[in-house]
Amino acid sequence: PRRSSDLAEEGRSKSRILLVDDNADSNDSLAALLEHHGFEVETATTGARALEVAPAFRPHFVLLDIGLPDIDGFAVLEHLTQMEGLRNTRFMALSGMDDDGRLRAAGFHHRILKPPRFEKLLA
């Protein structure tokens, strides 16, 4: 029989994550860790790039920085939530912002403090 931990690992290996942060080094490091744990990862350093990548990639999860250089994370989220194929996507604000109420009202499901702690992110 298969153990529940095996099933969790199998489900994780099929999950797609879009990381959107203007810090390319942070994106690359976090992407490498996530890929090592079986996730499929795409990265974007601008809001515009995230909007280009998301429709074809169809992420299960989006980690989205609020303070992007071109389009703020709130506007990116608004566009992403309107895209076909992303209706079941979970959106996480990658931010130091302390206003969970505003983040939830905008449509974020969770807030992950920057810099993200990997073990908390996996949970």
Side-chain angles (χ1 to χ4, degrees):
R2 296 169 73 182
R3 297 177 312 192
S4 61
S5 61
D6 293 336
L7 294 174
E9 185 64 33
E10 180 180 309
R12 182 185 305 166
S13 69
K14 296 177 182 176
S15 292
R16 293 180 303 277
I17 299 175
L18 175 58
L19 296 177
V20 186
D21 191 337
D22 58 331
N23 183 329
D25 290 337
S26 176
N27 259 359
D28 292 344
S29 297
L30 190 53
L33 282 169
L34 290 167
E35 288 170 344
H36 178 75
H37 282 81
F39 294 94
E40 187 177 343
V41 182
E42 284 285 338
T43 63
T45 56
T46 66
R49 180 69 182 144
L51 297 175
E52 289 174 19
V53 170
F57 185 57
R58 293 180 164 220
H60 296 109
F61 302 95
V62 176
L63 274 67
L64 180 56
D65 186 13
I66 299 299
L68 297 169
D70 59 340
I71 308 169
D72 78 22
F74 292 106
V76 173
L77 175 66
E78 186 176 336
H79 289 291
L80 290 173
T81 58
Q82 300 302 312
M83 289 183 178
E84 196 66 35
L86 273 68
R87 303 244 185 262
N88 294 320
T89 299
R90 304 292 290 175
F91 296 96
M92 290 163 260
L94 189 58
S95 174
M97 181 180 281
D98 197 14
D99 191 351
D100 282 342
R102 181 175 178 209
L103 294 171
R104 288 207 187 276
F108 285 101
H109 298 101
H110 302 283
R111 174 177 55 100
I112 298 171
L113 288 174
K114 285 178 81 173
R117 290 185 22 224
F118 189 69
E119 56 280 349
K120 180 141 179 135
L121 180 60
L122 283 179

